[in-house]
Amino acid sequence: MIGLRNLERSYPLAKEKFFYVLREINLEVHEGDFVSVMGPSGAGKSTLLHIIGMHDHGWSGEYFLGETPVHHLKPKERATLRNEQIGFVFQQYHLLDDLTVYENLDIPLSYRRYSKSERAALVADMLDRFQIVGKKDLYPRQLSGGQQQLVGVARAIIAEPKLLLADEPTGNLHSSQGEEIMELFRKLNDEGVTIVQVTHSEKNASYGKRIIQLRDGWIAKGE
Amino acid sequence: MIRDFKFAFRQLFKAPGFTIAAATVLALGIGVNTAVFSLVNTLFFAPPSYAKPHEMVQLFSQDKKDPKKFRGFSYPTYLDIRQQNTVFSDVTSFNVAFIGLGQKGDTRRAFSAVVTSNYFSVLGVPLARGRAFFPEEETPGHNAQVAIVSYSYWAKHDLDPGVLGSHLLINGRSFTIVGITPKGFVGTMKILSPEVWLPMSVYDQVANDFGSDNKTTIDDRKGTQLRIMGRLKPGMTAAAAKPALEGLAANLEKAYPVEQKDQTFMTAPVSRNSVSNNPGTESGIKVIAPLLLGMAVVVLLVASLNLANMLLARGTARRKEIAIRLALGGSRWRIVRQLLTEGFALAVLGGAGGLVLGLWSSDFLVASMRRLMPLDIVWLTGPNPAILAATFGFCLLGTLMFALGPALKISRSAVVTDLKEHAGEDVVRRHWKFLPRHPLVVVQIAFSLALITAAALFIRGAGKAASVDTGLKPGASYILEVDASLAGYEPKHAQELYRNLNDRLAALPGVEHASICSIVPFGMFESTRKVQRAGLHLAPDARPATAAEGLAFEASWNSVGADYFATVGLPVVRGRAFTEAETTQSGPKVAIIDEALAKKLWPDDDALGQRIQYAAANAPSASDTGGAHAGRSADLNEREKQEETIEIVGIVPSTRHALFEKELAGGIYLPFARGFQSDISLIVRFHSLPPGNEATTAGLLRRTVRDLDPSIPILSLRTFAQHLDSNLDLWLVRAGAALFSIFGGLALGLAVVGLYGVKAYSVARRTREIGIRMALGAQAGAVLRMIMREGSIMLVSGVAIGLLLAVATAKIVSGFLYGVGAFDPVAFTVAPAVLTVAALIATWLPARRATRVNPAQALHAE
């Protein structure tokens, strides 16, 4: 599903020198895979995730999403592709604070071609599926961290993405909440969603099918 | 407190960009207020330039039967009042006159006051140099050729001590300077100061003649030339003085039943802005003061709202700092005090800038007025205690307006959450989402729209005023103003000179017509006469209702040459123009009237060939105004009023006589020989005036005058178009338009900057939110639309409220508009359109920036 060939990401330093965050990344992720990217801080894990998520365009090399050569797409085409295929879960949840749970779930749909009634149905379905119907009118501040991340995951998959990218999804949660989220990921993966997660936790990584180790921008293990 | 100030200034220096922007916004708001306050204070509140002004009153002669009517005093009446009154410690008398000042051939018009010898002592003003007038120098017939000059006249001569005792040429006669007034003394009026004070004995020499061929002399008890001021005795009040003054008036009426008929005396505060014989003439200008102050305060309000928004935004970024202060034990009041101190420090910086800006604006206004009027404008625009105090007051007011609200809001901090919260994140939860995000910006937009609409109304008025149809078609004409009396000519010789000059000008190559006239329409002066049908002898208490019964009509008056109507492009529609003989010799009494006056005098009959007469001053008339126009009196001698009947030999179309005349009053034209005056204008109409030839043509006209007599002073020479352009009414309308444009422009600028600032700050603070939205699929267009939609909600709300405010403002200013209704559709369309376009651009710029947020970076920044 994902094919990365000689992918590199660098930032210019003084006098035509570059600081490389990612070097010669070659990676294949198959459909239905559940990949955990691990490594110390500064290894380039989040950068890799944002490149796969097409938020970062300043890289070189080749990136195929399915059959589509992302490296040949213009930013607008990439945005369209991302909207069709990818969902995101963040460590800090990144719910919008002045929107209710219901409205937060509705946001990704509002950016895609869904009618109002379709959106309402999908949000209702998601609230029901995650058992948060009673919290739909609450604001993020009124939820616990685990509940917020639950909403974050629900929001990530509401537009039915084929690929779910998660950046330290349990980093801000205590262990029982973290387990709950990881179980949810496993369930989603079982349902056919491809997942790439960045994590520091061996335990969380064990929920995945494959582990990639990054060090100083290079893939050290699991290519 | 000192620590608060230290910290406040440290905070301001730490953020120089914010400080400069905020101080500039405040400087604009405070500067406008300082400038307007400076003007209003000078005109209405600043103490007069004479001693103990609360003791001084002006005396008015009022018609008991028609209390709206007032008149001046004669010199003998002044002497009677001075000797017989029991309420004043002393009284003084004066009037003003335009004089020709300077060497022959290089004369300029100047403003003078003709005063009694005790003028300076009654006012309690010691002269800077020299002496006041001696009592004998005031006695009619004495003709004391002495003068006292103003400090600014002295300053123009580099404060040369030799000015005292030197000679001054006034109206062609030499006067010795015997005194110099102290700095800042402007007589009884504010701003407009006489340049020269002359003794009463020369009144008849210098008083402006107004077309009457038989003037009342200063010693004639029938005269009404003078104004009287008195200093009340210690402990005496104006109210307590009333019965005594009425008693004095009654005694004088008994003693002089003809001259003092129906006259009583009343007092009022000494007029600060005119030398009128009517105490009600200042009411109009008094309305302008609160209007100007109100508009200026609105600008300060808009500036303060702008700043309040900036402080709120900054306060959001400082939430963590406030939370720490609270966590460390600071009380809310202590935090509010700190924030208010920071606000005040900012206001002081803005106030300093505002003071400079305000004083500069005042200087600019004075310079503009000086260019227009031949008067010595004395406006001490430098910083004085009142202006400094007012500016300080504006700083305090501004601080309360812009800093208190944000201080109260920001200090309401939730310590735990704010300490945890992402630094500077804009996470305020809004329960009323349908309301705009930034209500202060909405209010700013609303007030700005009101000011912009007012500006649009005034600009429209100025545009219409500039293109007003005068009714005249003078074509390519020049106006040459001369006054032979200033070169020492007696009326008889002056008349001969003018006839020669008229002939020479008419014979110049390219000249189509040339004509003399005593009054040029739309100039600084106009003259009116009351006329009625001839042959009527009304009972003293008659109240005629129609022209046939003897009702008189006030008409604009002019004395003109034979070729006048052809020169100004006014066809004689019935009858004939004046003959050459009629305009140069005192022949049969004939007049040409306009259609408006003809219609009033003979509504159902033909006015041509009929006879009219001047009506007595107190005759019932259809348009009693109770006051004289600028410098022109309607005084007529009894013979002129009652005995002369004048045949109407021609009728011309009606024209405006004043630029902003609402209703055509009617006009009467006499042959120049029947209405001689020394200060005349010659209108010279050319077949055409090729562009670029102005200097040559003006040189030719000047040479023609010089060839005839080089000593004749040319008081002005300009084209008819230039003459119209310098019309005082037009200047006032344009000044209003300029002033409101400045108010409106500032308000527009501040509102747009405010909107931009809020949106730009909001976008910067919402980078995370925008990043999340983009990470969740929002494309650039969606983000752009989101920011634009939020801006548009503010804009629409502001415009809706602003239109209501604009309607109220338009109602208030409607009395000052020319040619446009209060709800002029163009102004009410253009103003919101301009604001909308500007506001949309101000929103679009940060919105475009928002679309460039890189979600990876925005989220990574966490």
Side-chain angles (χ1 to χ4, degrees), chain A residues 78-193:
Chain A
R78 290 181 187 183
T80 307
L81 183 64
R82 182 184 64 214
N83 280 0
E84 286 168 359
Q85 310 251 354
I86 302 173
F88 251 97
V89 178
F90 307 99
Q91 180 183 357
Q92 292 90 351
Y93 331 132
H94 285 327
L95 301 180
L96 294 182
D97 299 285
D98 56 353
L99 300 185
T100 62
V101 167
Y102 185 100
E103 290 164 335
N104 265 290
L105 291 181
D106 185 53
I107 287 182
L109 302 177
S110 70
Y111 296 136
R112 291 163 173 83
R113 290 181 182 178
Y114 288 93
S115 69
K116 204 173 173 185
S117 57
E118 283 173 329
R119 280 159 53 188
L122 282 169
V123 172
D125 183 44
M126 200 54 65
L127 287 168
D128 194 36
R129 186 172 160 191
F130 281 72
Q131 298 176 349
I132 47 176
V133 176
K135 303 193 184 325
K136 71 180 176 66
D137 294 324
L138 297 182
Y139 286 90
R141 280 186 170 201
Q142 296 166 294
L143 302 176
S144 70
Q147 288 168 336
Q148 287 192 48
Q149 191 58 299
L150 207 58
V151 177
V153 175
R155 186 181 64 179
I157 63 167
I158 194 165
E160 297 170 340
K162 289 179 181 163
L163 173 65
L164 184 65
L165 302 175
D167 191 358
E168 297 269 11
T170 62
N172 281 4
L173 302 177
H174 64 71
S175 54
S176 66
Q177 288 174 325
E179 280 171 22
E180 199 179 327
I181 294 296
M182 290 318 298
E183 285 298 337
L184 182 59
F185 274 27
R186 186 173 1 225
K187 201 176 156 201
L188 289 170
N189 185 238
D190 290 345
E191 288 169 7
V193 177

Side-chain angles (χ1 to χ4, degrees), chain B residues 474-558:
Chain B
S477 292
Y478 267 86
I479 300 169
L480 176 70
E481 186 183 0
V482 295
D483 188 343
S485 74
L486 303 186
Y489 276 76
E490 293 301 324
K492 191 180 164 194
H493 293 113
Q495 198 158 347
E496 182 63 22
L497 176 94
Y498 292 155
R499 192 175 60 77
N500 281 339
L501 183 57
N502 198 143
D503 290 348
R504 287 192 184 203
L505 291 170
L508 287 175
V511 170
E512 193 179 359
H513 298 286
S515 173
I516 194 169
C517 62
S518 57
I519 309 266
V520 182
F522 321 116
M524 275 188 78
F525 305 110
E526 64 171 314
S527 185
T528 57
R529 295 284 189 280
K530 271 186 186 176
V531 292
Q532 60 191 167
R533 289 190 188 182
L536 296 165
H537 295 282
L538 300 178
D541 53 353
R543 288 281 176 264
T546 63
E549 291 169 9
L551 186 66
F553 297 91
E554 187 130 13
S556 188
W557 181 97
N558 201 354

Side-chain angles (χ1 to χ4, degrees), chain B residues 402-754:
Chain B
F402 74 74
L404 185 60
L408 289 173
K409 187 173 178 190
I410 294 161
S411 63
R412 211 183 296 126
S413 172
V415 177
V416 178
T417 47
D418 284 349
L419 284 174
K420 277 185 188 171
E421 209 55 68
H422 313 292
E425 197 71 45
D426 185 6
V427 290
V428 181
R429 197 161 61 244
R430 293 161 54 244
H431 295 290
W432 306 91
K433 287 186 186 174
F434 55 89
L435 291 178
R437 261 179 189 265
H438 300 280
L440 294 185
V441 177
V442 173
V443 178
Q444 247 180 285
I445 290 171
F447 276 112
S448 302
L449 180 57
L451 287 178
I452 297 165
T453 309
L457 286 169
F458 272 88
I459 291 168
R460 288 263 298 151
K464 289 210 169 183
S467 57
V468 66
D469 180 14
T470 60
L472 302 177
K473 291 178 181 59
S477 292
Y478 267 86
I479 300 169
L480 176 70
E481 186 183 0
V482 295
D483 188 343
S485 74
L486 303 186
Y489 276 76
E490 293 301 324
K492 191 180 164 194
H493 293 113
Q495 198 158 347
E496 182 63 22
L497 176 94
Y498 292 155
R499 192 175 60 77
N500 281 339
L501 183 57
N502 198 143
D503 290 348
R504 287 192 184 203
L505 291 170
L508 287 175
V511 170
E512 193 179 359
H513 298 286
S515 173
I516 194 169
C517 62
S518 57
I519 309 266
V520 182
F522 321 116
M524 275 188 78
F525 305 110
E526 64 171 314
S527 185
T528 57
R529 295 284 189 280
K530 271 186 186 176
V531 292
Q532 60 191 167
R533 289 190 188 182
L536 296 165
H537 295 282
L538 300 178
D541 53 353
R543 288 281 176 264
T546 63
E549 291 169 9
L551 186 66
F553 297 91
E554 187 130 13
S556 188
W557 181 97
N558 201 354
S559 61
V560 301
D563 224 8
Y564 176 79
F565 297 107
T567 307
V568 297
L570 211 55
V572 179
V573 289
R574 292 174 48 67
R576 61 172 176 84
F578 296 128
T579 63
E580 193 64 36
E582 283 167 344
T583 57
T584 52
Q585 301 155 25
S586 285
K589 310 221 179 301
V590 292
I592 291 171
I593 64 172
D594 71 7
E595 287 171 325
L597 185 60
K599 183 94 179 150
K600 284 177 180 177
L601 286 168
W602 280 275
D604 305 315
D605 213 345
D606 190 358
L608 190 66
Q610 307 275 11
R611 299 190 82 83
I612 55 173
Q613 66 187 23
Y614 291 124
N618 59 356
S621 70
S623 55
D624 281 334
T625 58
H629 292 280
R632 297 287 167 176
S633 143
D635 290 342
L636 292 168
N637 60 70
E638 286 302 311
R639 185 180 63 79
E640 199 179 23
K641 282 174 199 161
Q642 297 295 322
E643 292 172 10
E644 294 187 351
T645 67
I646 308 165
E647 185 192 351
I648 298 167
V649 296
I651 294 173
V652 292
S654 301
T655 65
R656 290 170 187 274
H657 295 94
L659 208 53
F660 300 148
E661 200 172 41
K662 282 182 182 163
E663 193 184 325
L664 296 175
I668 176 167
Y669 302 87
L670 261 69
F672 184 72
R674 284 260 151 220
F676 171 81
Q677 72 177 49
S678 60
D679 176 5
I680 56 103
S681 294
L682 288 138
I683 305 177
V684 186
R685 182 185 183 122
F686 288 81
H687 288 290
S688 67
L689 280 175
N693 269 17
E694 290 85 358
T696 316
T697 311
L700 178 67
L701 295 174
R702 279 183 193 281
R703 233 177 10 258
T704 309
V705 179
R706 300 265 183 277
D707 288 349
L708 193 61
D709 183 347
S711 71
I712 304 292
I714 296 172
L715 296 174
S716 77
L717 174 59
R718 53 191 167 183
T719 64
F720 208 99
Q722 288 166 339
H723 166 76
L724 281 181
D725 212 39
S726 62
N727 178 274
L728 186 60
D729 291 337
L730 199 56
W731 181 84
L732 285 172
V733 170
R734 282 175 176 165
L739 213 55
F740 275 86
S741 297
I742 290 169
F743 287 154
L746 276 178
L748 174 67
L750 289 172
V752 167
V753 167

Side-chain angles (χ1 to χ4, degrees), chain B residues 144-291:
Chain B
Q145 308 286 297
V146 289
I148 292 169
V149 294
S150 69
Y151 186 92
S152 65
Y153 176 92
W154 192 32
K156 278 179 207 161
H157 291 78
D158 304 323
L159 304 181
D160 177 9
V163 164
L164 199 66
S166 67
H167 292 278
L168 186 66
L169 219 55
I170 295 173
N171 292 4
R173 293 187 176 88
S174 179
F175 282 68
T176 306
I177 297 174
V178 296
I180 298 167
T181 62
K183 188 176 183 182
F185 178 71
V186 290
T188 54
M189 283 193 291
K190 302 302 294 187
I191 297 181
L192 302 178
S193 171
E195 218 170 332
V196 178
W197 282 262
L198 298 169
M200 194 57 79
S201 63
V202 299
Y203 187 89
D204 292 335
Q205 275 182 39
V206 298
N208 305 109
D209 55 44
F210 304 120
S212 166
D213 57 2
N214 199 359
K215 280 195 305 178
T216 315
T217 55
I218 190 69
D219 56 351
D220 189 336
R221 190 170 281 281
K222 292 196 212 81
T224 56
Q225 306 97 323
L226 301 181
R227 320 287 178 244
I228 292 178
M229 289 183 298
R231 186 175 287 283
L232 292 166
K233 285 180 176 171
M236 176 63 68
T237 63
K242 193 168 181 269
L245 290 172
E246 285 172 353
L248 174 59
N251 289 343
L252 288 177
E253 190 178 359
K254 264 185 212 159
Y256 307 101
V258 177
E259 293 86 353
Q260 290 301 116
K261 186 170 184 288
D262 295 336
Q263 294 302 302
T264 187
F265 300 149
M266 62 165 285
T267 62
V270 178
S271 171
R272 298 168 66 98
N273 299 304
S274 71
V275 285
S276 174
N277 54 19
N278 184 337
T281 47
E282 295 205 358
S283 54
I285 198 163
K286 276 181 182 163
V287 177
I288 297 173
L291 181 69

